[in-house]
Every structure is written in structure tokens, then in C-alpha cells.
């Protein structure tokens, strides 16, 4: 295997069309370009991602993103060593757009084609950004994902636990909706929470009474709805302070369960590094609490830069490189998969997030 590999990555499994060029040199990754075109505006009127609209937008934009990524990297297709593409899990129309584009490019150039699991992309990001060694623990918390992973190799993942219903970002978004705050809900709930009293309104800490690392956020969201209705019935309306207190209480409850489940996971699986990824990792209270937990356990806490925590194609190119080194390329029978559990040994999670099937 050559010492240096340069891969194009393509990502289209949800509501971001992305392409990137990543180079591995002497064991370290370098992002030569990373283009992400979000679709937020296209879905805004519908209160969630509409799969058909997403698929059409991916099909229309994916080749243009590839063109831009190559131009920004200053490389022609011929300078690449391979093409990595998200082959699942995700919204099938979008995944198909990316896989067809990658297959077309691979057929035209003869370059190796590597199908990558989207979650592997997230899970391997700390190796791209910080070059950390295996094994490590990963907490993926976004609008569509929520799982604890132990990462032992490029294709060796153990899912310790995950959400049995909503993903945490999804719960932040729904709470924002309940309280008439703007979407995406995470940043607006966080801003309100900063002015709120987290102790005034009691909310549950779901699944803390049960052993293991599974999480649940659906009941917490319903508890916020009930608390809002209770306050409105009693006061005849919701004051600004009530809304801030509800946000603070909700955010504190999410942070409490994430911290406690992380503490359990790290105690049972002592590793050098604990990494987080996903949009919810941007939450300052959650981030600070997880950082404090790691400091107490003598574990390195790692949160990749936000643009690499959220959906992007650099993580796909990187995972493609690592997996190509391990197992070689896929052939033209590569298929797009709506569901694709990262950990082949653990049973699939039953939840299904607003952004499509969870794995
Ligand atoms: O990883 P991401 O960009 O997309 C996927 O879900 O794949 O995550 C987006 C989610 C949204 O649900 C958003 O509300 C949440 O991350 N989020 C936050 C914050 N910023 C974004 N949640 C809590 N606090 C934040 N500051
Ligand atoms: Zn993702």
C-alpha cells in the first residue's frame, strides 16, 4: 500500500450534499477541500426533511459539488487514488444519488470505489482531525444519530448503546417547536436556557434507573409539553421567563443523562480518548459537562471542529482511505442501503429519527 493516498469523498445521505478531497501522508490526514451544500431552505416550510425533495436536490447538485471540491483542491480526477461514497444508512433517494455519481466516476476513470457507512465517517473523524490511536470511545449526538461506540479499528465498531427513540437533536428541535422558538432548535433552546433557571421545573431523567448505556429522549420532550401546558393553564399564558426556565430544565436533563451514561461507558470501557461528534456536541453546557467528566476520569476529551462534527464529505473520504487500506475496493455491485448497522453484532436500534432510519 502506498504511503500517500488521495481520495474524493461524496456524502448525500440526509440534507447536505457534500464532496471533499482528503490526502493521507505518512499516517496523517489532510483535508485539501471540503464542500457542503445544505438544503435547510428547501425543507424549511415542511418542518422536517422531505425525502423526495432531498433526493432531487442531491441528484441536481452532487456532480457540481464534486467539481468544486476538485477545483478547490487544485487536482484533476486523474490525480486521485480512489473514490469513497456514503452507501448508507440514510434516506435512500439521496444515498442513491451519491452512489450513482461515484460509480459513474469510478467506471469512467478506473479508480477504486469504496462504499462507506455514514456512521463510520463520523466515528473515524477524530483520527482525521487529531490522529488519535485505537481504541477510543465515541458519543455521536445529532439530529439523526445517538449512539455510544467503541472504535477498535477502521471497520471494528461496538455499539454500547444508543437512543431507543428520538435522537437528542431531534428532541431539541421538537422542544423549540413546542415553545415557538426558531429552528434549528438546538441553538435557540441553548440561548433561552442561558437566561433560565434549570431547577424550577422538574423533568425526568429517562432510563437513568436502568443499567446500560441506552438513552431515550421522546418522553422528555413530552414532559416539556406537559409542563408548558400546566404553566399555561395556571398562568393563562407563557411568560418569557417560563420559556427560559423550561429550556434550561430540558437542557439540564439532556446533559445529565448524557453525562451519566458517558460516565458508565467510560468506567466499563477505560480508553485514552473520549470523542464527541454531531450537532448537539455544539451545545456549550453539554460540552462543558462532558469535558469535566473526562477531566475527572483522566480521559482525553476530544470534540472535532463543528464543521467536521456535522455532516460532511471529508469524513467519508477519510473513512474510505482507512477502509481501502484494510479491505481494498468495492466493485460495481455496491448498493445503496437505507439501513446499515455499523456494529454487525448488536441488534438494530428501533428508533427512527426525523432525518431517516437510524442504524
Ligand atoms: O449533526 P447535525 O448537523 O445533523 C444531523 O442531524 O445529521 O445535527 C443537527 C442537530 C439539530 O437537531 C440541531 O438542533 C442540533 O444538532 N444542534 C444543537 C445545537 N446546535 C445544533 N443542539 C443543542 N445545542 C446546540 N447548540
Ligand atoms: Zn450524520
Amino acid at each position: 500500500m502506498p504511503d500517500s493516498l488521495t481520495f474524493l469523498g461524496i456524502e448525500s445521505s440526509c440534507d447536505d450534499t457534500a464532496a471533499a478531497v482528503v490526502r493521507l501522508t505518512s499516517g496523517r490526514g489532510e483535508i485539501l477541500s471540503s464542500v457542503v451544500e445544505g438544503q435547510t431552505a428547501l425543507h424549511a416550510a415542511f418542518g422536517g426533511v422531505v425525502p423526495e425533495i432531498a433526493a432531487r436536490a442531491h441528484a441536481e447538485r452532487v456532480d457540481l459539488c464534486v467539481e468544486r471540491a476538485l477545483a478547490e483542491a487544485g487536482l484533476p480526477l486523474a490525480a486521485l487514488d480512489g473514490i469513497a461514497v456514503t452507501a448508507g444508512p440514510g434516506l435512500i433517494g439521496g444515498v442513491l444519488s451519491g452512489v450513482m455519481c461515484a460509480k459513474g466516476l469510478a467506471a469512467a476513470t478506473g479508480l477504486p470505489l469504496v462504499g462507506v457507512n455514514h456512521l463510520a465517517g463520523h466515528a473515524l473523524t477524530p483520527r482525521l482531525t487529531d490522529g488519535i490511536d485505537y481504541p477510543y470511545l465515541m458519543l455521536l449526538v445529532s439530529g439523526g444519530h445517538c449512539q455510544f461506540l467503541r472504535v477498535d479499528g477502521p471497520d471494528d465498531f461496538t455499539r454500547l448503546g444508543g437512543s431507543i427513540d428520538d435522537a437528542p437533536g431531534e428532541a431539541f428541535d421538537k422542544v423549540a417547536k413546542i415553545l415557538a422558538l426558531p429552528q434549528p432548535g438546538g441553538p435557540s433552546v441553548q440561548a433561552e436556557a442561558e437566561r433560565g433557571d434549570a431547577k424550577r421545573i422538574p423533568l425526568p431523567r429517562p432510563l437513568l434507573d436502568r443499567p446500560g448505556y441506552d438513552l431515550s429522549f421522546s418522553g422528555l420532550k413530552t414532559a416539556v409539553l406537559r409542563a408548558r401546558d400546566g404553566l399555561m393553564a395556571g398562568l393563562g399564558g407563557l411568560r418569557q421567563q417560563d420559556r427560559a426556565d423550561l429550556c434550561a430544565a430540558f437542557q439540564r436533563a439532556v446533559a445529565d443523562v448524557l453525562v451519566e451514561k458517558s460516565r458508565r461507558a467510560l468506567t466499563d470501557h477505560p480508553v485514552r480518548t473520549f470523542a464527541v461528534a454531531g450537532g448537539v456536541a455544539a451545545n456549550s453546557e453539554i460540552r462543558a459537562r462532558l469535558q469535566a467528566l473526562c477531566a475527572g476520569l483522566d480521559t482525553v476529551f476530544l470534540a472535532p471542529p463543528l464543521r467536521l462534527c456535522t455532516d460532511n464529505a471529508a469524513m467519508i473520504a477519510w473513512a474510505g482511505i482507512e477502509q481501502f487500506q484494510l479491505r481494498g475496493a468495492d466493485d460495481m455491485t455496491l448498493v445503496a442501503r437505507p439501513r446499515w448497522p455499523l456494529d454487525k453484532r448488536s441488534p438494530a436500534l428501533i428508533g427512527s429519527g426525523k432525518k431517516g432510519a437510524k442504524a
Side-chain angles (χ1 to χ4, degrees), residues 62-305:
V62 67
D63 52 342
L64 300 171
C65 282
V66 167
E67 211 168 30
R68 258 183 71 199
L70 289 169
E72 287 178 22
L75 293 176
L77 265 177
L80 300 175
D81 298 303
I83 298 168
V85 62
T86 300
L91 300 173
I92 192 65
V95 181
L96 261 174
S97 304
V99 168
M100 295 312 288
C101 177
K103 278 188 178 178
L105 289 170
T109 56
L111 287 169
L113 171 72
V114 181
V116 169
N117 183 310
H118 176 86
L119 299 169
H122 280 301
L124 297 176
T125 299
R127 290 188 39 85
L128 167 63
T129 55
D130 293 79
I132 63 169
D133 291 328
Y134 298 112
Y136 56 92
L137 280 196
M138 175 95 208
L139 170 61
L140 249 180
V141 273
S142 72
H145 324 296
C146 180
Q147 25 189 295
F148 281 108
L149 293 167
R150 183 188 154 104
V151 186
D152 283 281
D155 199 19
D156 190 354
F157 306 97
T158 310
R159 201 191 69 223
L160 306 177
S163 174
I164 59 167
D165 41 55
D166 292 354
E170 195 178 354
F172 268 96
D173 294 342
K174 286 179 180 166
V175 163
K177 206 168 175 184
I178 289 168
L179 299 175
L181 292 166
Q183 298 292 329
S188 29
V189 169
Q190 176 177 322
E192 284 290 311
E194 273 156 25
R195 303 188 292 103
D197 172 4
K199 297 209 181 96
R200 177 178 153 215
I201 299 155
L203 291 177
R205 304 292 189 263
L207 298 192
L208 274 199
D209 53 339
R210 280 199 231 158
Y213 324 101
D214 279 345
L215 302 130
S216 161
F217 295 101
S218 172
L220 191 52
K221 162 204 75 193
T222 310
V224 172
L225 179 66
R226 293 232 176 82
R228 180 205 69 178
D229 290 347
L231 285 167
M232 284 177 54
L235 300 165
L238 209 60
R239 295 165 309 175
Q240 267 196 346
Q241 192 56 48
D242 301 326
R243 191 156 78 167
D245 292 346
L246 276 168
C247 286
F250 167 74
Q251 186 171 285
R252 181 65 50 86
V254 174
D256 281 352
V257 290
L258 287 177
V259 166
E260 172 54 21
K261 297 280 167 158
S262 302
R263 193 189 58 72
R264 285 184 202 174
L266 282 165
T267 309
D268 298 346
H269 301 265
V271 285
R272 241 181 79 74
T273 313
F274 180 60
V276 287
V280 179
N283 186 281
S284 41
E285 179 172 356
I286 293 171
R287 207 183 254 251
R289 296 273 311 277
L290 290 174
Q291 199 154 16
L293 170 80
C294 286
L297 293 173
D298 221 6
T299 304
V300 177
F301 176 76
L302 205 78

